PDB file of all heavy atoms in Angstrom:
ATOM      1  N   LEU B 676      47.779  26.749  -9.764  1.00  0.00           N
ATOM      2  CA  LEU B 676      48.663  27.077  -8.569  1.00  0.00           C
ATOM      3  C   LEU B 676      49.443  25.821  -8.128  1.00  0.00           C
ATOM      4  O   LEU B 676      50.621  25.882  -7.851  1.00  0.00           O
ATOM      5  CB  LEU B 676      47.764  27.593  -7.406  1.00  0.00           C
ATOM      6  CG  LEU B 676      47.552  29.043  -7.323  1.00  0.00           C
ATOM      7  CD1 LEU B 676      46.448  29.356  -6.322  1.00  0.00           C
ATOM      8  CD2 LEU B 676      48.841  29.713  -6.919  1.00  0.00           C
ATOM      9  N   PHE B 677      48.744  24.694  -8.060  1.00  0.00           N
ATOM     10  CA  PHE B 677      49.475  23.468  -7.616  1.00  0.00           C
ATOM     11  C   PHE B 677      50.447  23.001  -8.648  1.00  0.00           C
ATOM     12  O   PHE B 677      51.523  22.529  -8.265  1.00  0.00           O
ATOM     13  CB  PHE B 677      48.412  22.398  -7.231  1.00  0.00           C
ATOM     14  CG  PHE B 677      47.741  22.629  -5.891  1.00  0.00           C
ATOM     15  CD1 PHE B 677      46.388  22.949  -5.828  1.00  0.00           C
ATOM     16  CD2 PHE B 677      48.515  22.668  -4.741  1.00  0.00           C
ATOM     17  CE1 PHE B 677      45.789  23.267  -4.605  1.00  0.00           C
ATOM     18  CE2 PHE B 677      47.918  22.938  -3.497  1.00  0.00           C
ATOM     19  CZ  PHE B 677      46.567  23.210  -3.418  1.00  0.00           C
ATOM     20  N   ARG B 678      50.111  23.158  -9.910  1.00  0.00           N
ATOM     21  CA  ARG B 678      51.018  22.810 -10.962  1.00  0.00           C
ATOM     22  C   ARG B 678      52.284  23.661 -10.884  1.00  0.00           C
ATOM     23  O   ARG B 678      53.398  23.138 -10.974  1.00  0.00           O
ATOM     24  CB  ARG B 678      50.313  22.964 -12.297  1.00  0.00           C
ATOM     25  CG  ARG B 678      51.189  22.864 -13.488  1.00  0.00           C
ATOM     26  CD  ARG B 678      51.332  21.449 -13.925  1.00  0.00           C
ATOM     27  NE  ARG B 678      52.211  21.404 -15.153  1.00  0.00           N
ATOM     28  CZ  ARG B 678      51.763  21.613 -16.386  1.00  0.00           C
ATOM     29  NH1 ARG B 678      50.474  21.747 -16.578  1.00  0.00           N
ATOM     30  NH2 ARG B 678      52.584  21.585 -17.390  1.00  0.00           N
ATOM     31  N   THR B 679      52.013  24.962 -10.654  1.00  0.00           N
ATOM     32  CA  THR B 679      53.168  25.894 -10.565  1.00  0.00           C
ATOM     33  C   THR B 679      54.012  25.558  -9.338  1.00  0.00           C
ATOM     34  O   THR B 679      55.246  25.577  -9.405  1.00  0.00           O
ATOM     35  CB  THR B 679      52.637  27.337 -10.420  1.00  0.00           C
ATOM     36  OG1 THR B 679      51.679  27.576 -11.438  1.00  0.00           O
ATOM     37  CG2 THR B 679      53.769  28.394 -10.461  1.00  0.00           C
ATOM     38  N   MET B 680      53.296  25.126  -8.237  1.00  0.00           N
ATOM     39  CA  MET B 680      54.031  24.754  -7.040  1.00  0.00           C
ATOM     40  C   MET B 680      54.873  23.489  -7.327  1.00  0.00           C
ATOM     41  O   MET B 680      55.995  23.351  -6.903  1.00  0.00           O
ATOM     42  CB  MET B 680      53.014  24.498  -5.909  1.00  0.00           C
ATOM     43  CG  MET B 680      53.424  25.109  -4.639  1.00  0.00           C
ATOM     44  SD  MET B 680      51.985  25.292  -3.577  1.00  0.00           S
ATOM     45  CE  MET B 680      51.713  23.573  -3.118  1.00  0.00           C
ATOM     46  N   ASP B 681      54.252  22.568  -8.008  1.00  0.00           N
ATOM     47  CA  ASP B 681      54.964  21.339  -8.411  1.00  0.00           C
ATOM     48  C   ASP B 681      56.210  21.676  -9.220  1.00  0.00           C
ATOM     49  O   ASP B 681      57.316  21.148  -8.931  1.00  0.00           O
ATOM     50  CB  ASP B 681      54.053  20.380  -9.239  1.00  0.00           C
ATOM     51  CG  ASP B 681      53.092  19.664  -8.375  1.00  0.00           C
ATOM     52  OD1 ASP B 681      53.316  19.655  -7.158  1.00  0.00           O
ATOM     53  OD2 ASP B 681      52.113  19.134  -8.904  1.00  0.00           O
ATOM     54  N   ASP B 682      56.038  22.532 -10.157  1.00  0.00           N
ATOM     55  CA  ASP B 682      57.144  23.039 -10.981  1.00  0.00           C
ATOM     56  C   ASP B 682      58.236  23.587 -10.083  1.00  0.00           C
ATOM     57  O   ASP B 682      59.404  23.328 -10.247  1.00  0.00           O
ATOM     58  CB  ASP B 682      56.720  24.078 -11.986  1.00  0.00           C
ATOM     59  CG  ASP B 682      55.922  23.459 -13.157  1.00  0.00           C
ATOM     60  OD1 ASP B 682      55.748  22.224 -13.109  1.00  0.00           O
ATOM     61  OD2 ASP B 682      55.431  24.189 -13.977  1.00  0.00           O
ATOM     62  N   ALA B 683      57.738  24.482  -9.148  1.00  0.00           N
ATOM     63  CA  ALA B 683      58.701  25.155  -8.272  1.00  0.00           C
ATOM     64  C   ALA B 683      59.433  24.155  -7.424  1.00  0.00           C
ATOM     65  O   ALA B 683      60.680  24.297  -7.277  1.00  0.00           O
ATOM     66  CB  ALA B 683      57.903  26.118  -7.361  1.00  0.00           C
ATOM     67  N   PHE B 684      58.753  23.159  -6.907  1.00  0.00           N
ATOM     68  CA  PHE B 684      59.456  22.201  -6.069  1.00  0.00           C
ATOM     69  C   PHE B 684      60.220  21.129  -6.856  1.00  0.00           C
ATOM     70  O   PHE B 684      61.215  20.604  -6.340  1.00  0.00           O
ATOM     71  CB  PHE B 684      58.474  21.595  -5.031  1.00  0.00           C
ATOM     72  CG  PHE B 684      58.131  22.606  -3.969  1.00  0.00           C
ATOM     73  CD1 PHE B 684      56.939  23.280  -3.996  1.00  0.00           C
ATOM     74  CD2 PHE B 684      59.030  22.921  -2.979  1.00  0.00           C
ATOM     75  CE1 PHE B 684      56.620  24.239  -2.999  1.00  0.00           C
ATOM     76  CE2 PHE B 684      58.778  23.857  -2.021  1.00  0.00           C
ATOM     77  CZ  PHE B 684      57.538  24.500  -2.028  1.00  0.00           C
ATOM     78  N   ALA B 685      59.803  20.929  -8.105  1.00  0.00           N
ATOM     79  CA  ALA B 685      60.597  20.034  -8.922  1.00  0.00           C
ATOM     80  C   ALA B 685      61.911  20.739  -9.294  1.00  0.00           C
ATOM     81  O   ALA B 685      62.918  20.086  -9.541  1.00  0.00           O
ATOM     82  CB  ALA B 685      59.800  19.779 -10.254  1.00  0.00           C
ATOM     83  N   TYR B 686      61.896  22.031  -9.237  1.00  0.00           N
ATOM     84  CA  TYR B 686      63.065  22.848  -9.453  1.00  0.00           C
ATOM     85  C   TYR B 686      64.103  22.535  -8.433  1.00  0.00           C
ATOM     86  O   TYR B 686      65.316  22.454  -8.730  1.00  0.00           O
ATOM     87  CB  TYR B 686      62.528  24.256  -9.345  1.00  0.00           C
ATOM     88  CG  TYR B 686      63.379  25.417  -9.608  1.00  0.00           C
ATOM     89  CD1 TYR B 686      63.358  26.027 -10.870  1.00  0.00           C
ATOM     90  CD2 TYR B 686      64.172  25.940  -8.614  1.00  0.00           C
ATOM     91  CE1 TYR B 686      64.112  27.135 -11.063  1.00  0.00           C
ATOM     92  CE2 TYR B 686      64.927  27.049  -8.795  1.00  0.00           C
ATOM     93  CZ  TYR B 686      64.928  27.660 -10.067  1.00  0.00           C
ATOM     94  OH  TYR B 686      65.606  28.797 -10.249  1.00  0.00           O
ATOM     95  N   TRP B 687      63.641  22.429  -7.171  1.00  0.00           N
ATOM     96  CA  TRP B 687      64.541  21.998  -6.129  1.00  0.00           C
ATOM     97  C   TRP B 687      64.553  20.481  -6.104  1.00  0.00           C
ATOM     98  O   TRP B 687      63.638  19.925  -5.657  1.00  0.00           O
ATOM     99  CB  TRP B 687      64.109  22.514  -4.757  1.00  0.00           C
ATOM    100  CG  TRP B 687      63.894  23.993  -4.670  1.00  0.00           C
ATOM    101  CD1 TRP B 687      62.710  24.587  -4.502  1.00  0.00           C
ATOM    102  CD2 TRP B 687      64.849  25.007  -4.737  1.00  0.00           C
ATOM    103  NE1 TRP B 687      62.881  25.952  -4.469  1.00  0.00           N
ATOM    104  CE2 TRP B 687      64.182  26.233  -4.637  1.00  0.00           C
ATOM    105  CE3 TRP B 687      66.245  25.023  -5.054  1.00  0.00           C
ATOM    106  CZ2 TRP B 687      64.872  27.437  -4.646  1.00  0.00           C
ATOM    107  CZ3 TRP B 687      66.882  26.259  -5.025  1.00  0.00           C
ATOM    108  CH2 TRP B 687      66.189  27.427  -4.892  1.00  0.00           C
ATOM    109  N   ASN B 688      65.570  19.973  -6.647  1.00  0.00           N
ATOM    110  CA  ASN B 688      65.586  18.510  -6.839  1.00  0.00           C
ATOM    111  C   ASN B 688      66.121  17.760  -5.628  1.00  0.00           C
ATOM    112  O   ASN B 688      66.746  16.815  -5.688  1.00  0.00           O
ATOM    113  CB  ASN B 688      66.427  18.152  -8.047  1.00  0.00           C
ATOM    114  CG  ASN B 688      66.044  16.812  -8.658  1.00  0.00           C
ATOM    115  OD1 ASN B 688      65.063  16.231  -8.219  1.00  0.00           O
ATOM    116  ND2 ASN B 688      66.804  16.358  -9.639  1.00  0.00           N
ATOM    117  N   TYR B 689      65.884  18.381  -4.417  1.00  0.00           N
ATOM    118  CA  TYR B 689      66.320  17.703  -3.172  1.00  0.00           C
ATOM    119  C   TYR B 689      65.149  17.843  -2.155  1.00  0.00           C
ATOM    120  O   TYR B 689      64.265  18.609  -2.382  1.00  0.00           O
ATOM    121  CB  TYR B 689      67.590  18.337  -2.648  1.00  0.00           C
ATOM    122  CG  TYR B 689      67.507  19.818  -2.382  1.00  0.00           C
ATOM    123  CD1 TYR B 689      66.943  20.303  -1.203  1.00  0.00           C
ATOM    124  CD2 TYR B 689      67.924  20.700  -3.345  1.00  0.00           C
ATOM    125  CE1 TYR B 689      66.811  21.660  -0.990  1.00  0.00           C
ATOM    126  CE2 TYR B 689      67.853  22.058  -3.142  1.00  0.00           C
ATOM    127  CZ  TYR B 689      67.291  22.534  -1.965  1.00  0.00           C
ATOM    128  OH  TYR B 689      67.169  23.864  -1.739  1.00  0.00           O
ATOM    129  N   GLU B 690      65.220  17.036  -1.080  1.00  0.00           N
ATOM    130  CA  GLU B 690      64.130  17.066  -0.146  1.00  0.00           C
ATOM    131  C   GLU B 690      64.470  17.681   1.173  1.00  0.00           C
ATOM    132  O   GLU B 690      63.631  18.197   1.883  1.00  0.00           O
ATOM    133  CB  GLU B 690      63.633  15.623   0.057  1.00  0.00           C
ATOM    134  CG  GLU B 690      62.816  15.053  -1.121  1.00  0.00           C
ATOM    135  CD  GLU B 690      63.688  14.715  -2.311  1.00  0.00           C
ATOM    136  OE1 GLU B 690      64.756  14.113  -2.126  1.00  0.00           O
ATOM    137  OE2 GLU B 690      63.309  15.057  -3.458  1.00  0.00           O
ATOM    138  N   VAL B 691      65.768  17.579   1.591  1.00  0.00           N
ATOM    139  CA  VAL B 691      66.134  18.057   2.879  1.00  0.00           C
ATOM    140  C   VAL B 691      67.298  19.049   2.764  1.00  0.00           C
ATOM    141  O   VAL B 691      68.248  18.796   2.001  1.00  0.00           O
ATOM    142  CB  VAL B 691      66.532  16.945   3.863  1.00  0.00           C
ATOM    143  CG1 VAL B 691      66.917  17.458   5.200  1.00  0.00           C
ATOM    144  CG2 VAL B 691      65.359  15.907   4.005  1.00  0.00           C
ATOM    145  N   ARG B 692      67.242  20.151   3.486  1.00  0.00           N
ATOM    146  CA  ARG B 692      68.349  21.104   3.543  1.00  0.00           C
ATOM    147  C   ARG B 692      68.814  21.185   5.011  1.00  0.00           C
ATOM    148  O   ARG B 692      67.981  21.365   5.925  1.00  0.00           O
ATOM    149  CB  ARG B 692      67.898  22.466   3.017  1.00  0.00           C
ATOM    150  CG  ARG B 692      68.850  23.614   3.488  1.00  0.00           C
ATOM    151  CD  ARG B 692      68.505  24.896   2.851  1.00  0.00           C
ATOM    152  NE  ARG B 692      68.809  24.900   1.414  1.00  0.00           N
ATOM    153  CZ  ARG B 692      68.750  25.962   0.650  1.00  0.00           C
ATOM    154  NH1 ARG B 692      68.366  27.061   1.126  1.00  0.00           N
ATOM    155  NH2 ARG B 692      69.084  25.868  -0.640  1.00  0.00           N
ATOM    156  N   LEU B 693      70.145  21.048   5.154  1.00  0.00           N
ATOM    157  CA  LEU B 693      70.666  21.206   6.498  1.00  0.00           C
ATOM    158  C   LEU B 693      71.485  22.463   6.558  1.00  0.00           C
ATOM    159  O   LEU B 693      72.331  22.730   5.679  1.00  0.00           O
ATOM    160  CB  LEU B 693      71.625  19.986   6.815  1.00  0.00           C
ATOM    161  CG  LEU B 693      70.893  18.622   6.833  1.00  0.00           C
ATOM    162  CD1 LEU B 693      71.876  17.490   6.534  1.00  0.00           C
ATOM    163  CD2 LEU B 693      70.267  18.390   8.240  1.00  0.00           C
ATOM    164  N   ASN B 694      71.270  23.274   7.592  1.00  0.00           N
ATOM    165  CA  ASN B 694      72.060  24.518   7.815  1.00  0.00           C
ATOM    166  C   ASN B 694      73.018  24.255   8.986  1.00  0.00           C
ATOM    167  O   ASN B 694      72.552  23.857  10.019  1.00  0.00           O
ATOM    168  CB  ASN B 694      71.185  25.687   8.116  1.00  0.00           C
ATOM    169  CG  ASN B 694      70.242  26.021   6.968  1.00  0.00           C
ATOM    170  OD1 ASN B 694      70.634  26.150   5.836  1.00  0.00           O
ATOM    171  ND2 ASN B 694      68.915  26.056   7.243  1.00  0.00           N
ATOM    172  N   PHE B 695      74.281  24.502   8.744  1.00  0.00           N
ATOM    173  CA  PHE B 695      75.331  24.205   9.784  1.00  0.00           C
ATOM    174  C   PHE B 695      75.662  25.506  10.517  1.00  0.00           C
ATOM    175  O   PHE B 695      75.573  26.614   9.908  1.00  0.00           O
ATOM    176  CB  PHE B 695      76.562  23.539   9.163  1.00  0.00           C
ATOM    177  CG  PHE B 695      76.192  22.143   8.670  1.00  0.00           C
ATOM    178  CD1 PHE B 695      75.865  21.944   7.359  1.00  0.00           C
ATOM    179  CD2 PHE B 695      76.244  21.054   9.552  1.00  0.00           C
ATOM    180  CE1 PHE B 695      75.490  20.695   6.912  1.00  0.00           C
ATOM    181  CE2 PHE B 695      75.934  19.835   9.065  1.00  0.00           C
ATOM    182  CZ  PHE B 695      75.578  19.627   7.739  1.00  0.00           C
ATOM    183  N   ALA B 696      76.162  25.333  11.746  1.00  0.00           N
ATOM    184  CA  ALA B 696      76.488  26.486  12.570  1.00  0.00           C
ATOM    185  C   ALA B 696      77.694  27.256  11.990  1.00  0.00           C
ATOM    186  O   ALA B 696      77.809  28.422  12.136  1.00  0.00           O
ATOM    187  CB  ALA B 696      76.792  26.058  13.976  1.00  0.00           C
ATOM    188  N   ARG B 697      78.570  26.507  11.330  1.00  0.00           N
ATOM    189  CA  ARG B 697      79.707  27.200  10.667  1.00  0.00           C
ATOM    190  C   ARG B 697      80.099  26.410   9.425  1.00  0.00           C
ATOM    191  O   ARG B 697      79.508  25.299   9.179  1.00  0.00           O
ATOM    192  CB  ARG B 697      80.890  27.292  11.595  1.00  0.00           C
ATOM    193  CG  ARG B 697      81.545  25.961  12.034  1.00  0.00           C
ATOM    194  CD  ARG B 697      82.766  26.196  12.858  1.00  0.00           C
ATOM    195  NE  ARG B 697      83.484  24.967  13.168  1.00  0.00           N
ATOM    196  CZ  ARG B 697      84.304  24.323  12.325  1.00  0.00           C
ATOM    197  NH1 ARG B 697      84.543  24.791  11.126  1.00  0.00           N
ATOM    198  NH2 ARG B 697      84.886  23.205  12.719  1.00  0.00           N
ATOM    199  N   ALA B 698      81.006  26.905   8.645  1.00  0.00           N
ATOM    200  CA  ALA B 698      81.391  26.179   7.402  1.00  0.00           C
ATOM    201  C   ALA B 698      82.247  24.972   7.713  1.00  0.00           C
ATOM    202  O   ALA B 698      83.110  25.039   8.594  1.00  0.00           O
ATOM    203  CB  ALA B 698      82.124  27.119   6.482  1.00  0.00           C
ATOM    204  N   TYR B 699      81.937  23.816   7.037  1.00  0.00           N
ATOM    205  CA  TYR B 699      82.725  22.639   7.111  1.00  0.00           C
ATOM    206  C   TYR B 699      83.229  22.291   5.745  1.00  0.00           C
ATOM    207  O   TYR B 699      82.728  22.875   4.775  1.00  0.00           O
ATOM    208  CB  TYR B 699      81.908  21.464   7.722  1.00  0.00           C
ATOM    209  CG  TYR B 699      81.491  21.730   9.148  1.00  0.00           C
ATOM    210  CD1 TYR B 699      80.222  22.161   9.431  1.00  0.00           C
ATOM    211  CD2 TYR B 699      82.420  21.466  10.191  1.00  0.00           C
ATOM    212  CE1 TYR B 699      79.837  22.367  10.745  1.00  0.00           C
ATOM    213  CE2 TYR B 699      81.954  21.682  11.511  1.00  0.00           C
ATOM    214  CZ  TYR B 699      80.694  22.144  11.783  1.00  0.00           C
ATOM    215  OH  TYR B 699      80.348  22.346  13.098  1.00  0.00           O
TER     216      TYR B 699
END
Side-chain angles (χ1 to χ4, degrees):
Chain B
L676 268 169
F677 283 114
R678 169 87 179 276
T679 309
M680 225 159 74
D681 282 344
D682 287 359
F684 286 101
Y686 184 98
W687 307 114
N688 204 6
Y689 57 83
E690 285 74 43
V691 180
R692 162 173 288 187
L693 296 155
N694 297 309
F695 293 93
R697 64 173 186 83
Y699 295 98

